[in-house]
mmCIF file of all heavy atoms in Angstrom:
data_model
loop_
_atom_site.group_PDB
_atom_site.id
_atom_site.type_symbol
_atom_site.label_atom_id
_atom_site.label_comp_id
_atom_site.label_asym_id
_atom_site.label_seq_id
_atom_site.Cartn_x
_atom_site.Cartn_y
_atom_site.Cartn_z
ATOM 1 N N SER U 115 1.926 5.080 1.023
ATOM 2 C CA SER U 115 1.904 5.596 2.409
ATOM 3 C C SER U 115 0.698 6.480 2.760
ATOM 4 O O SER U 115 0.086 6.519 3.823
ATOM 5 C CB SER U 115 3.293 6.453 2.570
ATOM 6 O OG SER U 115 3.377 7.384 1.433
ATOM 7 N N LEU U 118 -2.208 4.207 3.085
ATOM 8 C CA LEU U 118 -2.146 3.552 4.349
ATOM 9 C C LEU U 118 -2.543 4.333 5.605
ATOM 10 O O LEU U 118 -3.191 3.942 6.413
ATOM 11 C CB LEU U 118 -0.735 3.082 4.538
ATOM 12 C CG LEU U 118 -0.383 2.156 5.698
ATOM 13 C CD1 LEU U 118 -1.070 0.787 5.409
ATOM 14 C CD2 LEU U 118 1.153 1.894 5.825
ATOM 15 N N MET U 119 -2.104 5.572 5.495
ATOM 16 C CA MET U 119 -2.472 6.553 6.621
ATOM 17 C C MET U 119 -3.898 6.812 6.714
ATOM 18 O O MET U 119 -4.493 6.784 7.824
ATOM 19 C CB MET U 119 -1.804 7.856 6.433
ATOM 20 C CG MET U 119 -1.938 8.752 7.635
ATOM 21 S SD MET U 119 -0.881 10.180 7.675
ATOM 22 C CE MET U 119 -1.486 11.163 6.348
ATOM 23 N N PHE U 120 -4.678 6.915 5.521
ATOM 24 C CA PHE U 120 -6.084 7.142 5.666
ATOM 25 C C PHE U 120 -6.898 5.926 5.963
ATOM 26 O O PHE U 120 -8.004 5.950 6.457
ATOM 27 C CB PHE U 120 -6.549 7.814 4.339
ATOM 28 C CG PHE U 120 -6.445 9.314 4.255
ATOM 29 C CD1 PHE U 120 -5.147 9.946 3.691
ATOM 30 C CD2 PHE U 120 -7.347 10.101 4.682
ATOM 31 C CE1 PHE U 120 -5.006 11.172 3.689
ATOM 32 C CE2 PHE U 120 -7.169 11.449 4.661
ATOM 33 C CZ PHE U 120 -6.029 12.002 4.255
ATOM 34 N N VAL U 121 -6.350 4.755 5.567
ATOM 35 C CA VAL U 121 -7.059 3.466 6.089
ATOM 36 C C VAL U 121 -7.101 3.532 7.594
ATOM 37 O O VAL U 121 -8.194 2.848 8.084
ATOM 38 C CB VAL U 121 -6.212 2.206 5.537
ATOM 39 C CG1 VAL U 121 -6.636 1.061 6.290
ATOM 40 C CG2 VAL U 121 -6.333 1.999 4.170
ATOM 41 N N GLY U 122 -6.266 4.071 8.407
ATOM 42 C CA GLY U 122 -6.238 4.236 9.705
ATOM 43 C C GLY U 122 -7.603 4.756 10.280
ATOM 44 O O GLY U 122 -8.252 4.419 11.305
ATOM 45 N N SER U 123 -8.286 5.837 9.488
ATOM 46 C CA SER U 123 -9.369 6.464 9.850
ATOM 47 C C SER U 123 -10.615 5.424 9.851
ATOM 48 O O SER U 123 -11.413 5.539 10.740
ATOM 49 C CB SER U 123 -9.728 7.683 8.961
ATOM 50 O OG SER U 123 -9.922 7.272 7.644
ATOM 51 N N VAL U 124 -10.586 4.596 8.826
ATOM 52 C CA VAL U 124 -11.735 3.705 8.714
ATOM 53 C C VAL U 124 -11.628 2.538 9.849
ATOM 54 O O VAL U 124 -12.570 2.238 10.371
ATOM 55 C CB VAL U 124 -11.747 2.895 7.426
ATOM 56 C CG1 VAL U 124 -13.029 2.239 7.140
ATOM 57 C CG2 VAL U 124 -11.423 3.972 6.180
ATOM 58 N N LEU U 125 -10.382 2.035 10.108
ATOM 59 C CA LEU U 125 -10.248 1.191 11.277
ATOM 60 C C LEU U 125 -10.626 1.830 12.489
ATOM 61 O O LEU U 125 -11.229 1.071 13.255
ATOM 62 C CB LEU U 125 -8.710 0.721 11.204
ATOM 63 C CG LEU U 125 -8.332 -0.340 10.221
ATOM 64 C CD1 LEU U 125 -6.793 -0.600 10.394
ATOM 65 C CD2 LEU U 125 -9.090 -1.609 10.373
ATOM 66 N N LEU U 126 -10.225 2.967 12.761
ATOM 67 C CA LEU U 126 -10.649 3.714 14.059
ATOM 68 C C LEU U 126 -12.219 3.800 14.099
ATOM 69 O O LEU U 126 -12.873 3.467 15.051
ATOM 70 C CB LEU U 126 -9.946 4.946 14.068
ATOM 71 C CG LEU U 126 -10.415 5.981 15.303
ATOM 72 C CD1 LEU U 126 -9.961 5.205 16.493
ATOM 73 C CD2 LEU U 126 -9.848 7.403 15.028
ATOM 74 N N VAL U 264 -9.123 -0.383 16.827
ATOM 75 C CA VAL U 264 -8.749 1.014 17.286
ATOM 76 C C VAL U 264 -7.310 0.935 17.488
ATOM 77 O O VAL U 264 -6.528 1.898 17.019
ATOM 78 C CB VAL U 264 -9.455 1.373 18.653
ATOM 79 C CG1 VAL U 264 -8.746 2.663 19.230
ATOM 80 C CG2 VAL U 264 -10.821 1.550 18.431
ATOM 81 N N GLN U 266 -4.985 -1.118 16.000
ATOM 82 C CA GLN U 266 -4.426 -1.294 14.745
ATOM 83 C C GLN U 266 -4.571 -0.152 13.879
ATOM 84 O O GLN U 266 -3.753 0.140 12.892
ATOM 85 C CB GLN U 266 -5.042 -2.511 13.981
ATOM 86 C CG GLN U 266 -4.585 -3.887 14.742
ATOM 87 C CD GLN U 266 -4.970 -5.027 13.862
ATOM 88 O OE1 GLN U 266 -5.684 -4.911 12.872
ATOM 89 N NE2 GLN U 266 -4.366 -6.222 14.204
ATOM 90 N N ALA U 267 -5.554 0.787 14.113
ATOM 91 C CA ALA U 267 -5.707 2.047 13.486
ATOM 92 C C ALA U 267 -4.438 2.801 13.429
ATOM 93 O O ALA U 267 -4.186 3.620 12.496
ATOM 94 C CB ALA U 267 -6.974 2.777 13.838
ATOM 95 N N PHE U 268 -3.813 2.740 14.480
ATOM 96 C CA PHE U 268 -2.553 3.557 14.673
ATOM 97 C C PHE U 268 -1.297 2.720 14.445
ATOM 98 O O PHE U 268 -0.367 3.189 13.825
ATOM 99 C CB PHE U 268 -2.529 4.115 16.161
ATOM 100 C CG PHE U 268 -3.629 5.088 16.418
ATOM 101 C CD1 PHE U 268 -4.829 4.536 17.024
ATOM 102 C CD2 PHE U 268 -3.676 6.421 16.028
ATOM 103 C CE1 PHE U 268 -5.992 5.537 17.337
ATOM 104 C CE2 PHE U 268 -4.689 7.333 16.177
ATOM 105 C CZ PHE U 268 -5.908 6.869 16.851
ATOM 106 N N THR U 269 -1.247 1.551 14.984
ATOM 107 C CA THR U 269 -0.003 0.703 14.912
ATOM 108 C C THR U 269 0.234 0.023 13.566
ATOM 109 O O THR U 269 1.450 -0.250 13.278
ATOM 110 C CB THR U 269 -0.031 -0.430 15.913
ATOM 111 O OG1 THR U 269 -1.117 -1.253 15.775
ATOM 112 C CG2 THR U 269 -0.205 0.258 17.384
ATOM 113 N N THR U 270 -0.795 -0.208 12.773
ATOM 114 C CA THR U 270 -0.632 -0.778 11.475
ATOM 115 C C THR U 270 -0.772 0.087 10.203
ATOM 116 O O THR U 270 -0.377 -0.291 9.080
ATOM 117 C CB THR U 270 -1.485 -1.990 11.287
ATOM 118 O OG1 THR U 270 -2.854 -1.700 11.196
ATOM 119 C CG2 THR U 270 -1.315 -3.026 12.420
ATOM 120 N N THR U 271 -1.388 1.262 10.582
ATOM 121 C CA THR U 271 -1.764 2.087 9.348
ATOM 122 C C THR U 271 -1.333 3.555 9.548
ATOM 123 O O THR U 271 -0.454 4.036 8.831
ATOM 124 C CB THR U 271 -3.333 2.006 9.091
ATOM 125 O OG1 THR U 271 -3.915 2.377 10.301
ATOM 126 C CG2 THR U 271 -3.720 0.611 8.604
ATOM 127 N N THR U 272 -1.975 4.261 10.465
ATOM 128 C CA THR U 272 -1.659 5.713 10.576
ATOM 129 C C THR U 272 -0.271 6.115 10.945
ATOM 130 O O THR U 272 0.366 6.901 10.069
ATOM 131 C CB THR U 272 -2.602 6.331 11.752
ATOM 132 O OG1 THR U 272 -4.017 6.086 11.490
ATOM 133 C CG2 THR U 272 -2.325 7.748 11.851
ATOM 134 N N ILE U 273 0.260 5.381 11.853
ATOM 135 C CA ILE U 273 1.754 5.771 12.221
ATOM 136 C C ILE U 273 2.688 5.305 11.216
ATOM 137 O O ILE U 273 3.574 6.053 10.672
ATOM 138 C CB ILE U 273 2.024 5.182 13.554
ATOM 139 C CG1 ILE U 273 1.310 5.866 14.654
ATOM 140 C CG2 ILE U 273 3.579 5.321 13.862
ATOM 141 C CD1 ILE U 273 1.470 5.327 16.059
ATOM 142 N N PRO U 274 2.666 3.989 10.579
ATOM 143 C CA PRO U 274 3.593 3.552 9.568
ATOM 144 C C PRO U 274 3.290 4.464 8.326
ATOM 145 O O PRO U 274 4.244 4.855 7.637
ATOM 146 C CB PRO U 274 3.092 2.114 9.225
ATOM 147 C CG PRO U 274 2.596 1.612 10.573
ATOM 148 C CD PRO U 274 1.842 2.805 11.208
ATOM 149 N N GLY U 275 2.178 4.776 7.932
ATOM 150 C CA GLY U 275 1.782 5.621 6.721
ATOM 151 C C GLY U 275 2.414 7.017 7.001
ATOM 152 O O GLY U 275 3.101 7.510 5.980
ATOM 153 N N ALA U 276 2.358 7.577 8.056
ATOM 154 C CA ALA U 276 2.965 8.873 8.450
ATOM 155 C C ALA U 276 4.300 8.899 8.310
ATOM 156 O O ALA U 276 5.078 9.841 7.854
ATOM 157 C CB ALA U 276 2.377 9.447 9.741
ATOM 158 N N MET U 277 5.056 7.848 8.940
ATOM 159 C CA MET U 277 6.500 7.635 8.884
ATOM 160 C C MET U 277 6.937 7.447 7.473
ATOM 161 O O MET U 277 8.027 7.973 7.189
ATOM 162 C CB MET U 277 6.856 6.492 9.928
ATOM 163 C CG MET U 277 6.487 6.771 11.428
ATOM 164 S SD MET U 277 7.203 5.515 12.397
ATOM 165 C CE MET U 277 8.967 5.969 12.424
ATOM 166 N N GLN U 278 6.216 6.700 6.659
ATOM 167 C CA GLN U 278 6.682 6.525 5.206
ATOM 168 C C GLN U 278 6.625 7.979 4.471
ATOM 169 O O GLN U 278 7.533 8.308 3.658
ATOM 170 C CB GLN U 278 5.755 5.536 4.565
ATOM 171 C CG GLN U 278 6.058 4.089 5.007
ATOM 172 C CD GLN U 278 5.135 3.155 4.145
ATOM 173 O OE1 GLN U 278 4.058 3.480 3.432
ATOM 174 N NE2 GLN U 278 5.390 1.849 4.217
ATOM 175 N N LEU U 279 5.570 8.732 4.822
ATOM 176 C CA LEU U 279 5.428 10.115 4.185
ATOM 177 C C LEU U 279 6.655 10.915 4.635
ATOM 178 O O LEU U 279 7.121 11.718 3.759
ATOM 179 C CB LEU U 279 4.139 10.700 4.614
ATOM 180 C CG LEU U 279 2.887 10.134 3.909
ATOM 181 C CD1 LEU U 279 1.649 10.703 4.525
ATOM 182 C CD2 LEU U 279 2.915 10.437 2.387
#
Side-chain angles (χ1 to χ4, degrees):
S115 53
L118 189 65
M119 189 168 68
F120 275 91
V121 164
S123 66
V124 194
L125 282 177
L126 176 62
V264 168
Q266 287 190 352
F268 297 98
T269 60
T270 66
T271 53
T272 303
I273 294 175
M277 295 186 74
Q278 285 182 347
L279 285 172

